[in-house]
Structure formats: C-alpha cells, structure tokens
Amino acid sequence: QVQLVESGGGLVQAGGSLRLSCAASGSIFSNKVMAWYRQTPGKERELVAAISSAGTTTYADSVKGRFTISRDNAKNTMYLQMNSLKPEDTAVYYCYAISGNSWGQGTQVTVSS
C-alpha cells in the first residue's frame, strides 16, 4: 500500500506561486489515476486536478489555466504547480492515489489579498 505525504504549502500573496509535492512511500507507477483535492472549513472536499498514468489531465474550472498537475514515477512523486494564486484558493490540499484509496494528511495553502 502507498503512503502519501504532502509538502510545499504556506502563505503567499495573491498573484504568487507555490508548488506542492506529494511523496509516496511506495511506487506510484501502477496508479492509473492520482489527484489533488482541496477542502476549506464547512465545504466538501473538491477535486482540483487529476492525472492518469498516460499523462491525461483534468482540472477544475476554477483553476484551469493557473494550476498544472504532473507526476514523476521514477521519483514516486506527484506535483501541483499553482500560479496566479487567489484568496479563494486558500484551503488544505490533499493528494490522492487510487491504489488502496490512499489519502495524504494535507498541506495548508493560505493566499492573502
């Protein structure tokens, strides 16, 4: 089973950038789909972006054109490059791997206006 640990969150001003990383304890090569989700208090966890083993990506409309998801199977790591950040992007970001229905513990992203 894969264990996931997110990192790279922090405080940033609107318009700034952050890159989140999701490091896996095991291989993610066999994971057909990996994804980033986010959640704010009182809101349901929402899909931000997803990537297949073939490299096909999908994004939430709210982040399309600003965020880029990628994966490096050799390093067992998934990334989320976040540019042009907005205050509404403030949330705890979680990585997800379909293998074992695995979730990370989340990393806080706070965007100030």
Side-chain angles (χ1 to χ4, degrees):
Q1 295 297 114
V2 61
Q3 292 183 327
L4 308 173
V5 179
E6 302 94 337
S7 63
L11 278 65
V12 64
Q13 292 186 6
S17 299
L18 286 173
R19 189 176 78 159
L20 305 184
S21 298
C22 175
S25 62
S27 176
I28 63 171
F29 182 79
S30 61
N31 272 279
K32 294 183 178 180
V33 177
M34 295 190 70
W36 287 97
Y37 285 76
R38 67 186 181 187
Q39 187 170 26
T40 57
K43 299 287 186 178
E44 68 177 5
R45 191 170 297 183
E46 65 177 354
L47 176 68
V48 177
I51 185 168
S52 73
S53 59
T56 301
T57 59
T58 187
Y59 297 91
D61 288 340
S62 60
V63 307
K64 193 172 298 181
R66 299 187 297 118
F67 291 10
T68 303
I69 188 172
S70 62
R71 60 191 291 174
D72 187 334
N73 293 328
K75 295 182 178 180
N76 294 325
T77 303
M78 180 178 65
Y79 305 94
L80 184 68
Q81 178 66 46
M82 305 185 295
N83 298 326
S84 301
L85 283 162
K86 303 175 180 179
E88 51 262 44
D89 294 319
T90 296
V92 176
Y93 285 71
Y94 300 87
C95 62
Y96 172 79
I98 195 168
S99 179
N101 191 32
S102 301
W103 292 92
Q105 293 301 305
T107 184
Q108 176 71 49
V109 171
T110 302
V111 184
S112 62
S113 60

